[in-house]
Amino acid sequence: MEFMANKGKEVAIQVDGVTYLRHAIRTHFVGIGEDYIKLVERYALPLYQQGDILCISEKIIALCQRRVVFRDDLKVGRLARFLSRFASHSSAGIGVDSPYKMQFAIEYCGKSKVIWAALLAGIGKLLRKKGVFYRIVGQEVSGLDGFYDKEFPIYGKFGIRIPAHPSQVCDEIQKKVGIPCMIVDANDLGVEILGIPAPLPSPITSLLP
């Protein structure tokens, strides 16, 4: 088969001296509530060969799990608008500089925790320390995507949360489809592995820190 990488990426990469070949799997535009087992069977299973590892974007799994927050359901308050003005902007995606994401943080974590995180983040800026706010409010806030219609207009209507029980999802996919997989959050700043199967297949073990 002919390997294909996403735009700006290379097919072959090296990790600790080992060369891996990556293939970007093209799917239809996945919507809210689809079945991730059927998606893997339709798009990945025909290509799978022994030793392969399937990496699935956390957005796909979250959409299938209906882990979305609709923009119209968020009533953005004065606190969210005020705090978002002081948040840093990231080229990797939406941040709490969006009043909608800041409002989600307030509703999920509570006002006191968000205000405390914002104060410490301000001190962190003076000390040139990044990411203080997100370390305090946690992964549910830092991992929220969406509310951004530049690439896909529909994504302006809702935010996409991190998937629930990602490692259990990997276990389910391996049990039902027979493909070892990881659920990853990847952007221009880095790659975070959110879910892995148990027990770990040796190819995945070699990629973990």
Side-chain angles (χ1 to χ4, degrees), residues 94-106:
I94 184 176
V96 285
D97 56 323
S98 162
Y100 290 96
K101 185 164 181 176
M102 184 65 79
Q103 183 63 39
F104 173 81
I106 291 169

Side-chain angles (χ1 to χ4, degrees), residues 18 26 35 41 45 54-55 62 65-66 97 114 120 163 173 194 203:
V18 180
R26 187 180 183 90
D35 187 328
E41 290 175 338
L45 188 57
L54 176 64
C55 295
Q65 294 177 331
R66 303 180 186 273
D97 56 323
V114 170
L120 292 186
I173 290 172
L194 302 182

Side-chain angles (χ1 to χ4, degrees), residues 19-40:
T19 300
Y20 294 88
L21 300 181
R22 302 181 294 181
H23 178 65
I25 300 176
R26 187 180 183 90
T27 71
H28 66 276
F29 193 90
V30 176
I32 299 172
E34 294 201 39
D35 187 328
Y36 53 78
I37 295 295
K38 291 182 179 178
L39 291 174
V40 173

Side-chain angles (χ1 to χ4, degrees), residues 127-181:
L127 300 176
R128 297 185 178 181
K129 292 185 177 181
K130 297 182 178 180
V132 174
F133 182 89
Y134 291 118
R135 283 197 291 273
I136 296 173
V137 296
Q139 196 175 37
E140 277 285 352
V141 176
S142 64
L144 181 70
D145 289 315
F147 303 131
Y148 183 71
D149 60 3
K150 184 176 179 180
E151 298 295 335
F152 303 106
I154 194 172
Y155 284 170
K157 298 180 180 180
F158 55 81
I160 307 171
R161 300 175 64 180
I162 61 173
H165 312 297
S167 290
Q168 292 181 23
V169 171
C170 293
D171 288 339
E172 182 186 4
I173 290 172
Q174 184 159 333
K175 180 179 180 180
K176 293 183 177 179
V177 189
I179 296 179
C181 68

